[in-house]
Amino acid sequence: MTTSSHPDRVPASRRVAAALRSRIESGELRAGAPLPSERNLAEDFEVARNTAREAVRLLTDEGLVHARHGKGVFVRETRKLMRFGAERYSHRLREETGLSPYRAEVAKQGRTARVDCTSITTVPAPEFIAERLGLVAEDPVICRENWYFADDEPVQRGITYIPVAVAGTSPLADSANLGKGSLYARFEDQGYPIATIREEISARMPRRDEKDRLKIPDGVPVIEVIHTGIDPEGTPFETTVFTMRADTTGLDYTIPVRN
Amino acid sequence: MTTSSHPDRVPASRRVAAALRSRIESGELRAGAPLPSERNLAEDFEVARNTAREAVRLLTDEGLVHARHGKGVFVRETRKLMRFGAERYSHRLREETGLSPYRAEVAKQGRTARVDCTSITTVPAPEFIAERLGLVAEDPVICRENWYFADDEPVQRGITYIPVAVAGTSPLADSANLGKGSLYARFEDQGYPIATIREEISARMPRRDEKDRLKIPDGVPVIEVIHTGIDPEGTPFETTVFTMRADTTGLDYTIPVRN
DNA sequence: CAGTGGTCTAGACCACTCA
DNA sequence: GAGTGGTCTAGACCACTGT
């Protein structure tokens, strides 16, 4: 009766993880509180340190806790989300504040925005960009890479593709400093007021380089938005790929439904 | 050991991971192809099996590969996304097809939809629901839990909250079978045609139970959408929390920009 | 310095898959 | 039965953080 083929034996690492998880969910371990050290967990649960470590990793992969080298493992703080919506492209908001959509959003949350334009190049359009801009692949496009910060913390990256015909000789084509109202004001100058946006949204785990540059902790995915700006005639004039960390950033759209 | 003071700063597991990653990105290892077994990797790179295993785990956590017990580790297939947009709430689409928004979307992709309503209960409104429905917390709401499948694969879960005043004695309050056009047709019957939707989007790693029930592989996040349906007078009449796996599902919105 | 997590080793056995 | 990944042990040393 004691031994048999396969009892529903739960691996030790999951048992330890489940115990910790319930102590977190019950509120016994609050946000910011340290977990017992791996060596203590090993002792308390009578497992090897590697097994305790595996348990902690399971929680890390769920985004419940995060480790700080040399300090300990802590219950993750629930961070306030900044949610970005369609109104950030509003002409009125731009006129009232003179700010770019990103700056306006961050200012609204009482934080300090910074945007670094790290590169402006002309490249052949990748296929998925050409599709969205009504070009054929390899057509040249201006490619602007921007990094967005709030209180000096990296928040998102945006890579904007602009047909050369749209950018012309305007600052869009080569100037890092776009002036008052920023990118969308310049599109308006060029004869492309934004009337409609298309936003294609997905989520995935960050690649190593993204994780490093956006300082994304373990167990946190990124949201990827392929954003396309469209003028009143239905002509797309720019596509931007945004990549943002999902624990501090989200989206919020209010959309009329057609009948 | 070769050097003593400051040997190469890159841990062996990351070196192995980087080597595999570049073989994947170069196309040498295509989607669906097996990686060398952990024991082979250990031998080839002259590390312990656990170290090779750690390397594989790094790739798994990036969503690049996935392990199948007893078979091997395989480069993940890029699966075609089903993207859900606002037009799925369109009255016209409903009239033309007689289908619920989900069924219409899945049919459009040539797959077979199934929706299981697993529970209908009346509960006190959680705070975040009460906020969105203009209620006070604890007000009773109908709570409908639905599971959505495409070709018998689980795709998403939706938990819909409806004020009892809205549901009345209609099928919304208690019937799993909602009839032609489904949920949004019934709201229309009750005097709440959908005019506007608000969609709040975030992403996170799945909890253990979500991972199991949605059959989500390692390294794949979920997208969470808090959807609120609003009538022409601006009255919200239902809020649904959707949870969907991010490797097969996405969102696609076309939104007019206010000036 | 002591204590923490990060990496690594060299084994072992279990659970699953497939020929 | 042979080969795969999954779990586990009992050590070891390194890197980082505090005092």
Side-chain angles (χ1 to χ4, degrees):
Chain A
M1 173 78 199
T2 35
T3 61
S4 114
S5 41
H6 15 58
D8 42 21
R9 178 183 150 281
V10 178
S13 54
R14 292 200 192 175
R15 272 196 7 251
V16 177
L20 291 171
R21 200 184 288 111
S22 79
R23 284 167 69 180
I24 292 169
E25 281 163 3
S26 75
E28 185 189 333
L29 287 170
R30 295 165 188 286
L35 263 52
S37 77
E38 293 171 352
R39 287 164 179 87
N40 281 339
L41 286 173
E43 197 176 343
D44 295 351
F45 287 90
E46 296 180 311
V47 295
R49 185 188 156 203
N50 275 355
T51 303
R53 191 173 164 73
E54 172 67 18
V56 170
R57 169 167 248 150
L58 290 171
L59 301 182
T60 302
D61 285 351
E62 291 172 36
L64 261 182
V65 302
H66 72 286
R68 292 192 220 159
H69 195 171
K71 298 179 79 171
V73 178
F74 300 84
V75 179
R76 176 162 294 154
E77 311 266 1
T78 314
R79 306 189 57 173
K80 201 178 63 190
L81 275 184
M82 283 193 296
R83 291 198 187 260
F84 295 97
E87 70 281 2
R88 65 190 159 131
Y89 298 105
S90 147
H91 178 89
R92 192 196 312 143
L93 182 63
R94 200 157 62 232
E95 288 300 302
E96 283 169 5
T97 64
L99 296 174
S100 70
Y102 175 78
R103 289 179 189 281
E105 188 72 28
V106 173
K108 213 170 78 180
Q109 322 251 354
R111 304 183 69 181
T112 304
R114 194 179 90 236
V115 180
D116 287 354
C117 181
T118 56
S119 81
I120 304 176
T121 55
T122 303
V123 300
E127 183 159 340
F128 79 102
I129 294 296
E131 267 175 36
R132 283 161 182 78
L133 291 175
L135 306 173
V136 290
E138 309 290 303
D139 274 359
V141 288
I142 310 288
C143 174
R144 306 177 61 101
E145 179 168 344
N146 290 292
W147 290 80
Y148 300 79
F149 301 81
D151 294 341
D152 288 323
E153 292 240 320
V155 171
Q156 61 180 22
R157 179 191 60 191
I159 303 180
T160 300
Y161 300 87
I162 311 165
V164 289
V166 170
T169 58
S170 74
L172 287 170
D174 53 16
S175 172
N177 196 339
L178 288 167
K180 183 161 185 283
S182 204
L183 205 62
Y184 291 91
R186 296 298 83 74
F187 282 119
E188 225 168 289
D189 296 346
Q190 292 297 103
Y192 296 94
I194 195 163
T196 308
I197 58 174
R198 179 182 179 196
E199 310 250 335
E200 297 162 87
I201 298 151
S202 51
R204 56 176 173 79
M205 293 312 282
R207 294 190 306 268
R208 172 106 229 147
D209 60 309
E210 296 172 326
K211 214 178 138 180
D212 293 342
R213 295 189 68 179
L214 287 169
K215 291 194 201 148
I216 300 176
D218 289 340
V220 174
V222 292
I223 298 174
E224 193 162 271
V225 180
I226 304 177
H227 160 274
T228 302
I230 301 167
D231 79 358
E233 277 75 49
T235 307
F237 57 88
E238 58 98 13
T239 293
T240 302
V241 180
F242 289 106
T243 306
M244 51 186 92
R245 53 187 284 186
D247 60 335
T248 54
T249 324
L251 302 160
D252 186 351
Y253 300 111
T254 298
I255 311 172
V257 176
R258 275 177 301 218
N259 283 326
Chain B
M1 304 287 88
T2 38
T3 57
S4 54
S5 56
H6 279 288
D8 59 314
R9 295 215 150 270
V10 183
S13 53
R14 292 199 192 176
R15 273 197 5 252
V16 177
L20 291 171
R21 199 184 288 112
S22 79
R23 284 167 68 179
I24 292 169
E25 281 162 3
S26 76
E28 185 189 334
L29 287 170
R30 294 165 189 285
L35 263 51
S37 78
E38 294 172 350
R39 287 164 180 87
N40 282 339
L41 286 173
E43 197 177 343
D44 294 350
F45 289 89
E46 297 180 310
V47 295
R49 184 189 156 201
N50 276 355
T51 303
R53 192 174 163 72
E54 172 67 17
V56 171
R57 169 166 249 152
L58 290 170
L59 301 182
T60 301
D61 285 350
E62 290 172 36
L64 261 181
V65 302
H66 67 111
R68 290 192 223 160
H69 195 170
K71 297 180 79 173
V73 177
F74 300 83
V75 179
R76 176 161 296 153
E77 311 266 0
T78 313
R79 306 189 56 173
K80 203 178 60 191
L81 275 184
M82 283 194 296
R83 292 198 186 261
F84 295 98
E87 70 281 2
R88 66 189 158 130
Y89 298 105
S90 147
H91 177 89
R92 191 195 314 144
L93 182 64
R94 200 157 60 232
E95 288 300 303
E96 282 169 6
T97 64
L99 296 174
S100 71
Y102 175 77
R103 288 178 189 281
E105 187 72 28
V106 173
K108 212 170 79 181
Q109 321 251 354
R111 304 183 70 181
T112 305
R114 195 180 88 235
V115 181
D116 287 354
C117 181
T118 56
S119 81
I120 304 175
T121 55
T122 304
V123 300
E127 182 160 341
F128 80 102
I129 293 296
E131 265 175 37
R132 283 163 181 77
L133 290 175
L135 307 172
V136 290
E138 310 289 303
D139 274 359
V141 289
I142 309 290
C143 174
R144 305 176 62 101
E145 179 168 344
N146 290 292
W147 290 81
Y148 300 77
F149 301 81
D151 293 342
D152 288 323
E153 292 242 321
V155 172
Q156 60 180 22
R157 178 190 59 192
I159 302 179
T160 300
Y161 299 86
I162 310 164
V164 288
V166 171
T169 57
S170 75
L172 288 170
D174 53 16
S175 173
N177 196 339
L178 288 167
K180 185 163 184 281
S182 203
L183 204 62
Y184 290 91
R186 296 298 83 73
F187 281 120
E188 225 167 290
D189 297 346
Q190 293 297 103
Y192 295 94
I194 195 163
T196 308
I197 58 174
R198 178 181 180 198
E199 310 250 337
E200 297 162 87
I201 298 151
S202 51
R204 57 177 173 78
M205 293 311 282
R207 293 189 306 268
R208 173 111 227 145
D209 60 308
E210 295 172 326
K211 214 178 138 181
D212 293 341
R213 295 190 68 179
L214 286 170
K215 291 195 202 148
I216 300 176
D218 289 340
V220 174
V222 292
I223 298 174
E224 194 162 271
V225 180
I226 303 177
H227 159 274
T228 302
I230 301 168
D231 79 359
E233 277 75 49
T235 307
F237 57 88
E238 59 99 14
T239 292
T240 302
V241 180
F242 289 106
T243 305
M244 51 186 92
R245 52 188 285 186
D247 61 335
T248 54
T249 326
L251 302 160
D252 186 350
Y253 300 111
T254 298
I255 311 172
V257 176
R258 275 178 301 218
N259 280 327

